[in-house]
Amino acid sequence: MTSDEATLARLMCAAQAGDAMAYRQLLGMAAPLLMRWFRRKVAPADLDDLVQDTLLAVHQRRASWDPARPFLPWLAAIARYRWVDRLRRARVRDADALFDDIAVESGEAALIGRLGCDRLLGMLPGPQAAAIRAVKIEGLSVIEAAARLGQSESMIKVNVHRGLKRMAAAVDEDR
Amino acid sequence: MTELSPNQQLPNPALDALMDRLAADVAPVQPLEDRPTMLVLVTLLLVAAVLMLAWLGLRPDLMAGQPHPMFLLRCGTLAVLGLVSVAAVLAQAHPGVGRSNAGWKVAAAMALLFPLSGAIMALDQPEHAMAMAGSASGWECLRMSLATAALCAVPMVLHLRRGAPVAPHRAGLLVGLAGGSLGALAYNLHCPYDSMVYTGLWYGLAVGSAAVAGRLVVPRLVRW
């Protein structure tokens, strides 16, 4: 079964009615989608945690999905919210441990591009997006990020702070 | 480097176990509906307006059946701002990337014409402006509007807590804006003043301070 909008919406309708099999199927389809949305948006060590966190949020907030509206934009909003929250809490990591499992993009690239996290980062001014990628996603230290991006250390901190704040305010926007 | 085909996933026992557990725990849920919240909100607003009128009385021009144009302008502006903001609050409970709810910004920009016009007229008539700023009725306007705003905020906050607001600060601002507009709308039925300076100052203060309070207080109540 393909994870298209109509199928996912039908399964979510059944899940809201308490159909455990349909719900398991839905989660089984949503998990790989989330994996692909989040890949390279958090450190690989955090990927599973973030996907699990998002599935829990889907479970807890499933009543907030309106069956009259599409499912994927709802899922994307929940996913972005958890992702931005995760970035805010992320600590600086060892850059050497990152991205050793880069995967091939799927045929759903267009969908991922429209709903995924890149688009949210793309709403930020270049220096803010670059600082967040370097410090919060790739795990560079502030000093390393400053050297790579040609920004001062204080500017890196300011750009990360302002960028995350702006992303949190624009979680459901799609420009 | 590991490469995955589009539909291939590495085995992930922890994730599978979580999904099994969530599916086993799934219970029927009623999709969150906006209408009950809207009904409660309208009822609370009507009760507040009736109590306020029973206590303070109706505007003289309304009693005479000849409403002043300023009353009608305030009514229209506050009603539109309140309705659009309430709709935006309710929509915040059902998130979705790409869902545009920017109508409240237009309504808020239009409502700003009152304080702007009031400020311009205050420059031209400083004595009148001082009298309006010192008016005891102004503080009553602020108190009554904010009390009604707090009452109206309750069903909106409860609605957001049942939903999944992904922009809590915006949701808080909207709750304050909606509550403040509706509170000022209710007080407007009593308010005997028709001055643009008075309206711009005290109504602007009531709606503005409710919006600021909502922006500061509500996010911590609806964050999840």
Side-chain angles (χ1 to χ4, degrees):
Chain A
M1 191 177 282
T2 56
S3 50
D4 58 276
E5 169 61 45
T7 306
L8 291 167
R10 183 175 54 75
L11 292 172
M12 187 61 173
C13 263
Q16 284 186 329
D19 183 335
M21 278 182 63
Y23 189 43
R24 180 62 181 83
Q25 212 172 350
L26 174 82
L27 294 174
M29 288 177 171
L33 265 181
L34 294 171
M35 286 279 187
R36 272 170 252 154
W37 283 354
F38 291 141
R39 189 161 286 134
R40 306 194 71 180
K41 308 300 180 301
V42 289
D46 284 347
L47 185 57
D48 278 357
D49 276 356
L50 182 55
V51 171
Q52 291 188 25
D53 195 23
T54 307
L55 291 178
L56 273 171
V58 164
H59 182 72
Q60 288 162 355
R61 303 284 157 168
R62 63 191 186 281
S64 72
W65 177 65
D66 180 352
R69 296 185 183 279
F71 173 78
L72 281 168
W74 177 82
L75 179 63
I78 302 271
R80 282 179 169 191
Y81 182 67
R82 299 310 335 170
W83 175 59
V84 173
D85 190 50
R86 171 74 53 156
L87 288 187
R88 283 174 145 174
R89 288 186 280 121
R91 292 179 186 165
V92 174
R93 293 178 177 79
D94 177 4
D96 295 338
L98 299 174
F99 305 122
D100 55 353
D101 67 342
I102 295 168
V104 176
E105 290 295 326
S106 76
E108 291 156 320
L111 177 72
I112 291 167
R114 193 168 81 80
L115 300 178
C117 304
D118 276 332
R119 201 167 175 88
L120 193 56
L121 268 175
M123 292 177 186
L124 301 181
Q128 290 180 7
I132 288 174
R133 279 188 195 281
V135 175
K136 291 291 186 175
I137 299 177
E138 295 180 31
L140 298 185
S141 68
V142 171
I143 296 170
E144 290 167 333
R148 186 209 276 182
L149 300 175
Q151 302 178 19
S152 68
E153 290 170 31
S154 58
M155 191 49 70
I156 289 284
K157 290 177 189 170
V158 168
N159 278 333
V160 167
H161 175 74
R162 287 185 181 163
L164 287 175
K165 201 172 167 186
R166 191 180 285 210
M167 280 167 67
V171 156
D172 56 352
E173 290 182 14
D174 185 30
R175 283 184 280 227
Chain B
M1 184 183 293
T2 308
E3 290 200 346
L4 299 175
S5 66
N7 295 314
Q8 183 188 354
Q9 291 295 308
L10 290 172
N12 191 328
L15 190 57
D16 285 339
L18 174 73
M19 291 190 288
D20 289 341
R21 200 169 66 246
L22 294 180
D25 287 347
V26 76
V29 290
Q30 184 68 33
L32 182 61
E33 289 185 25
D34 296 342
R35 195 171 299 172
T37 302
M38 200 72 177
L39 280 175
V40 172
L41 183 57
V42 168
T43 307
L44 285 176
L45 182 61
L46 286 176
V47 168
V50 168
L51 287 176
M52 208 183 297
L53 291 179
W55 185 18
L56 301 172
L58 194 64
R59 277 171 60 98
D61 57 344
L62 285 184
M63 295 275 274
Q66 292 179 317
H68 190 277
M70 175 55 83
F71 166 78
L72 295 175
L73 275 174
R74 278 198 310 238
C75 261
T77 306
L78 291 168
V80 169
L81 183 57
L83 279 174
V84 172
S85 303
V86 168
V89 169
L90 298 179
Q92 291 287 307
H94 311 275
V97 170
R99 285 189 64 185
S100 172
N101 284 300
W104 66 273
K105 293 179 185 170
V106 178
M110 284 185 66
L112 270 178
L113 287 175
F114 280 89
L116 279 177
S117 305
I120 290 168
M121 294 190 74
L123 290 175
D124 194 41
Q125 305 166 344
E127 287 176 8
H128 172 66
M130 290 303 288
M132 291 296 101
S135 163
S137 173
W139 291 104
E140 183 183 76
C141 169
L142 194 58
R143 275 198 311 273
M144 291 297 169
S145 299
L146 290 180
T148 310
L151 191 66
C152 291
V154 173
M156 289 189 276
V157 168
L158 291 175
H159 186 82
L160 289 171
R161 286 173 66 90
R162 288 196 296 270
V166 294
H169 287 107
R170 192 196 313 150
L173 178 73
L174 286 168
V175 167
L177 199 58
S181 309
L182 297 177
L185 178 64
Y187 182 77
N188 184 38
L189 296 171
H190 158 72
C191 179
Y193 286 84
D194 296 319
S195 155
M196 179 59 85
V197 176
Y198 180 93
T199 303
L201 174 63
W202 291 107
Y203 281 73
L205 209 53
V207 177
S209 52
V212 170
R215 169 69 174 72
L216 293 176
V217 175
V218 173
R220 64 192 71 180
L221 301 176
V222 303
R223 200 183 298 282
W224 53 282

